[in-house]
Structures are given as structure tokens and as C-alpha cells.
Amino acid sequence: CSFNVTRFIYSTALTLDQSEATMHMGETLTLNASYEPSDATDPALIWSSSDESVVQVQGEGSQVVITPVGLGTATVTVRTSDGSELSASCEVTVAPTLVESLTLDVDSLTMYVNDEIQINALVEPWNATDASVTWESSDPEVVDIQYVEENVVTVVAKGLGTAYITATTNDGSSLTANCVIEVIRQSIFGDVNCDGVVSSIDITCLYNYLLNGDMTYYATSDVNGDGAISSVDITVIYNILLGTGK
């Protein structure tokens, strides 16, 4: 009578090819485990993440893929399942992806008073953790910010002059991009309220300033360009309406 006796061979060593790693959202990391001896009876391995809201483990066996799902740090651990109670770990940090490039879709503009236009901020890389920007006007009395929707700003020309519209990243990369805007006199001489025609309404706008201090159309009220807003400007518009001026 004979017996076949199979000796159970336990694992004696377990290591990972990385003990720490840094990742960004959108990337993946491959971890490889090695165990000794190579003829261990039960080579099965158990993988786990200490925080699956940061990284998750995909796959099984001696090679797995680590996928980031949120910012932070988590420990990926591999353990033997044969009772040897061996383990190895890798500390994985998921770091924010900073903006590397910020540009605007236009870098210079010429506008008339009361014109509106949209400016778009273009951010790279596509997977930047925080791609938002903050908008600012160097002179809101010349060009003012009306409203912002994501990385698109709508600006309105308020008065004659030059202003810079600046976009600044919010993620700490401190990148900026500028658009220089020149606001010039309306193309129709005497069109104080910039509605495209010269009419009695323009005279009313001048009276509102001279009598009531209404500053709405201050920037375009010096019709004759002599540096002062006065009854002379009203006379100029009267002459235009009567066909005796221009």
C-alpha cells in the first residue's frame, strides 16, 4: 500500500514594483506583484484600496490597474490568500491637474459705446481639475462685465477709451490672458444714444445731462469734440436734423 503526500508550500515573500505613486484624473497605473517561491501551492492574491473614493483596483492576479476617481491619497494593498499573511502596499496620491495653457479666442477688439460681445477662455489640458477662470476689467467705466457663464464672458462698452479684459485661472497655476478693447466714438455723428440714427432723442439725452446730471450717455455727449458738453452740442444736433450741419 502506497500514499502520495503533497507538501503545501506557503509563500515566503511578497513585493510590489512600486511603493508610492502620484496620479492625475484620467490616467491609469499598473501595479505588479511578485511572490516567492514561484512554486507556492496557492498563488492567489487579494487586492484592496483603503479609500475607493480616491482610487479603485481593477483586475486580479499579479497585475492590476489602478484607476483614480477622486483627489486624495489611498493605500493599495495586496495580500496572500494561502495563510502566510504576507502583504505589500503602495501609497497612491491623486493630485490635481493644473491648467498649463490659457488663451482667449480674441486678443484685441474695437467697439462702439453700448456694443456687447462675448469672449471665450480656452483652457488646456482637457482634464484640468479646475478649468474655471475669473474675469476682470481694468476700467469698468470703459468696458464692463455684464455676466459670466462658465468660461464665457459678455462685456459691454460703456464709454470711450481703452480697457483690458483679463481672465485668470482659479486652480493656483496663476495663468492670465488678456484682450485689449478700444471703445471709439459712434460711427454716426450726433448719435448720442448710439441707436443708429440722429433724432430728437439725442437732444433729450443732452438736456438730461445738462439739466439733471444724467450720466448715461456722458461718454458720447461731446458731439463737437471741443472737450465740453454744452448747449453748443445741442445746436450741432439741431443743425443735423435741419439738414444744415453734419
Side-chain angles (χ1 to χ4, degrees):
C1 181
S2 62
F3 298 92
N4 291 324
V5 178
T6 300
R7 183 171 62 93
F8 193 93
I9 302 174
Y10 288 95
S11 298
T12 58
L14 178 64
T15 58
L16 285 175
D17 59 347
Q18 298 184 64
S19 60
E20 59 182 8
T22 299
M23 307 178 64
H24 300 90
M25 297 298 294
E27 299 176 346
T28 58
L29 170 69
T30 300
L31 285 181
N32 295 279
S34 300
Y35 58 88
E36 294 179 359
S38 59
D39 60 346
T41 302
D42 183 4
L45 300 173
I46 301 170
W47 295 85
S48 63
S49 168
S50 65
D51 190 342
E52 292 196 340
S53 68
V54 177
V55 296
Q56 296 180 353
V57 181
Q58 298 176 330
E60 58 184 17
S62 61
Q63 184 181 84
V64 295
V65 174
I66 308 303
T67 302
V69 293
L71 301 181
T73 299
T75 301
V76 175
T77 302
V78 60
R79 294 180 173 83
T80 54
S81 61
D82 63 356
S84 58
E85 298 184 354
L86 300 177
S87 66
S89 298
C90 176
E91 185 178 86
V92 180
T93 299
V94 181
T97 301
L98 297 180
V99 176
E100 298 175 2
S101 172
L102 172 64
T103 57
L104 302 183
D105 62 346
V106 61
D107 56 16
S108 63
L109 286 170
T110 299
M111 301 174 68
Y112 298 119
V113 175
N114 291 339
D115 282 352
E116 288 188 5
I117 195 167
Q118 288 186 336
I119 302 174
N120 295 272
L122 310 175
V123 171
E124 293 181 352
W126 65 270
N127 63 334
T129 303
D130 181 1
S132 66
V133 300
T134 297
W135 296 92
E136 184 178 9
S137 170
S138 64
D139 191 343
E141 292 185 358
V142 176
V143 181
D144 196 16
I145 293 173
Q146 287 290 89
Y147 56 88
V148 176
E149 184 176 353
E150 295 183 350
N151 280 10
V152 181
V153 66
T154 299
V155 299
V156 60
K158 305 290 285 188
L160 303 180
T162 300
Y164 290 86
I165 298 298
T166 301
T168 304
T169 52
N170 293 324
D171 66 348
S173 58
S174 300
L175 298 180
T176 62
N178 298 298
C179 175
V180 57
I181 300 178
E182 182 183 9
V183 182
I184 62 176
R185 181 174 295 280
Q186 70 274 21
S187 58
I188 300 177
F189 183 69
D191 181 16
V192 175
N193 68 342
C194 302
D195 64 355
V197 295
V198 180
S199 68
S200 60
I201 297 176
D202 299 299
I203 294 176
T204 300
C205 292
L206 289 175
Y207 273 124
N208 285 339
Y209 169 74
L210 293 172
L211 299 178
N212 305 317
D214 185 346
M215 302 288 287
T216 302
Y217 300 106
Y218 174 82
T220 55
S221 292
D222 181 14
V223 179
N224 67 344
D226 65 355
I229 301 171
S230 67
S231 60
V232 176
D233 299 298
I234 295 176
T235 300
V236 171
I237 296 179
Y238 269 125
N239 289 337
I240 294 173
L241 295 176
L242 293 173
T244 61
K246 64 176 184 178

